[in-house]
Amino acid sequence: MLARTLLLRLAENKSLESLVRRNRWSARIARRFVAGETIDEAIPSVAGLNAQGISASLDLLGESVLRADQVDATVDTYLRLFQAIRESGVDANVSLKLTALGLDIDEELCYCNMARLLSAAGPDRFVRIDMESSAYTQRTLDLFERLWNSEQRFRNVGVVIQSYLRRSEEDIETLVKMGARVRLCKGAYDEPESIAFPNKTDVDENYVRLMRRLVSDGVYPGIATHDEKMISATKDYALEQKIEPDQFEFQMLYGIRRDLQTDLVKNGYRMRVYTPFGTYWYPYLMRRLAERPANLMFVLKNILRR
Ligand code: FDA
């Protein structure tokens, strides 16, 4: 628990970020969790997943962006990404973070960027808004609702709900009533007890409760977890309720539990792998280390071996 908190705090440390990003060994280690730095590197990784019957959600790494020129560059990359997905014919949708699209600069700028991207994606290309720390939960849901109720009535967009937040049951109710597509995950940030369950048992129990609500009444939910207990609970519940396996999808992160990913596909379940690419991999890598501090040993061994 201590290691998790420490790693999550370090994830926000800019000095450490520049040190780690400049180190060529850590850049190599990040490759275990990241599908390359460019679109041209990421697309073949997706094709490789597709060949195993797995779909992808491509995510351009980057968050907490405070410079307008960087936000513009992110929008441009997503526009090129839509084109690359179309041209290559890979089976992929995209994920993005609102703080990479200007949420911390100006909410209106962020909304306009989202509307532009959703229009460019077209009705058949789904765009998932990742959920960031609790400082952004309400703003993210508000912006999502605004897109949903806008004149264009965007329906190619969905959100993420984290089972560690106490508020999530209520949020799920609202989203189920809207008919919105939800990805359910446990949550990856360092949150205070006042708003998040501190114990894993409670986070897991809430996950199962919310999963059931989504699988029964949600629209094509994404059950995002590597936890075999959560996966079994989902499979059992769907069987018990006679819900077909094509009514939801499991989702995992690139490079994590590849064995489980292919097993689920072999057993007739849908699987989507969140596939990040780009150069801003530091906070993403730190959150992956925080989830499983044993990964830190893998990192240290690699550094010491050189
Ligand atoms: P848990 O942490 O209990 O892990 C269960 C088991 O999975 C571990 O015992 C280990 O075997 C394996 N495992 C988990 N993490 C690992 C790692 N990093 N390395 C190696 N093995 C690991 N969070 C968020 O706050 N906002 C978001 O938008 C998203 N989006 C998202 C998309 C997708 C597709 C996934 C799978 C996850 C997210 N997350 C996220 C992250 C999520 O909140 C959570 O932090 C991780 O998925 C870890 O939780 P698990 O459900 O895997 O369970």
Side-chain angles (χ1 to χ4, degrees):
M1 202 60 195
L2 259 179
R4 177 177 185 271
T5 310
L6 179 67
L7 287 163
L8 288 177
R9 300 236 163 114
L10 291 176
E12 289 167 19
N13 187 308
K14 294 285 171 202
S15 325
L16 187 63
E17 167 161 11
S18 67
L19 201 75
V20 172
R21 268 182 58 196
R22 270 185 282 125
N23 179 302
R24 66 195 164 112
W25 299 121
S26 39
R28 283 197 183 180
I29 289 155
R31 275 306 293 256
R32 180 184 156 164
F33 301 105
V34 171
E37 298 212 332
T38 61
I39 293 178
D40 286 348
E41 285 170 3
I43 294 286
S45 302
V46 171
L49 291 168
N50 291 170
Q52 301 169 66
I54 298 173
S55 351
S57 191
L58 277 161
D59 165 71
L60 172 64
L61 290 163
E63 54 198 87
S64 315
V65 178
L66 293 170
R67 277 180 31 204
D69 59 326
Q70 277 180 12
V71 170
D72 290 346
T74 299
V75 173
D76 275 356
T77 308
Y78 271 107
L79 293 173
R80 283 191 290 112
L81 181 61
F82 293 143
Q83 194 181 347
I85 293 174
R86 251 190 312 272
E87 285 173 5
S88 62
V90 291
D91 174 5
N93 62 31
V94 308
S95 291
L96 46 76
K97 288 188 172 48
L98 293 185
T99 63
L101 293 179
L103 189 61
D104 280 334
I105 303 174
D106 171 21
E107 234 160 272
E108 202 51 34
L109 168 77
C110 183
Y111 178 82
C112 292
N113 283 334
M114 268 309 294
R116 183 171 169 211
L117 288 179
L118 294 178
S119 303
D124 300 331
R125 179 80 49 219
F126 183 73
V127 177
R128 175 83 61 186
I129 304 175
D130 287 341
M131 188 55 85
E132 301 178 67
S133 75
S134 60
Y136 301 101
T137 313
Q138 193 56 51
R139 280 196 278 165
T140 302
L141 294 174
D142 287 347
L143 199 137
F144 169 71
E145 225 173 299
R146 198 176 150 199
L147 291 163
W148 192 263
N149 296 325
S150 67
E151 211 176 298
Q152 295 96 321
R153 304 224 157 256
F154 292 111
R155 291 294 178 268
N156 57 338
V157 60
V159 278
V160 178
I161 292 293
Q162 300 149 323
S163 74
Y164 66 11
L165 290 188
R166 297 179 194 272
R167 59 174 285 165
S168 289
E169 193 165 358
E170 248 176 72
D171 289 334
I172 290 275
E173 285 313 307
T174 310
L175 292 161
V176 164
K177 282 187 192 119
M178 284 168 72
R181 260 172 80 171
V182 175
R183 172 199 295 154
L184 178 65
C185 67
K186 291 190 188 178
Y189 299 83
D190 182 27
E191 301 291 3
E193 277 191 44
S194 53
I195 56 164
F197 299 109
N199 298 324
K200 181 174 160 56
T201 334
D202 295 323
V203 176
D204 290 356
E205 266 176 35
N206 201 33
Y207 193 99
V208 172
R209 193 168 28 247
L210 303 183
M211 171 279 287
R212 290 180 173 185
R213 183 76 173 110
L214 286 173
V215 168
S216 280
D217 302 305
V219 176
Y220 195 60
I223 307 301
T225 181
H226 314 92
D227 188 336
E228 294 190 47
K229 284 200 201 109
M230 301 300 110
I231 292 168
S232 296
T234 309
K235 292 201 288 197
D236 292 349
Y237 184 70
L239 268 177
E240 185 191 301
Q241 299 292 314
K242 301 196 171 45
I243 294 165
E244 294 295 322
D246 63 358
Q247 295 304 299
F248 59 92
E249 65 182 24
F250 287 111
Q251 299 184 351
M252 293 192 197
L253 299 177
Y254 184 83
I256 298 180
R257 292 304 311 263
R258 280 175 284 209
D259 53 335
L260 204 50
Q261 296 173 14
T262 44
D263 274 2
L264 283 164
V265 171
K266 279 186 200 135
N267 286 304
Y269 292 96
R270 293 194 174 180
M271 168 60 57
R272 185 178 303 277
V273 166
Y274 183 97
T275 308
F277 71 97
T279 48
Y280 292 97
W281 42 260
Y282 172 80
Y284 181 84
L285 175 68
M286 294 301 276
R287 287 198 292 274
R288 303 297 74 86
L289 296 181
E291 280 152 10
R292 195 160 178 262
N295 284 342
L296 201 58
M297 287 316 293
F298 164 83
V299 171
L300 292 174
K301 262 192 246 153
N302 272 274
I303 291 175
L304 292 175
R305 211 186 294 149
R306 317 288 165 183

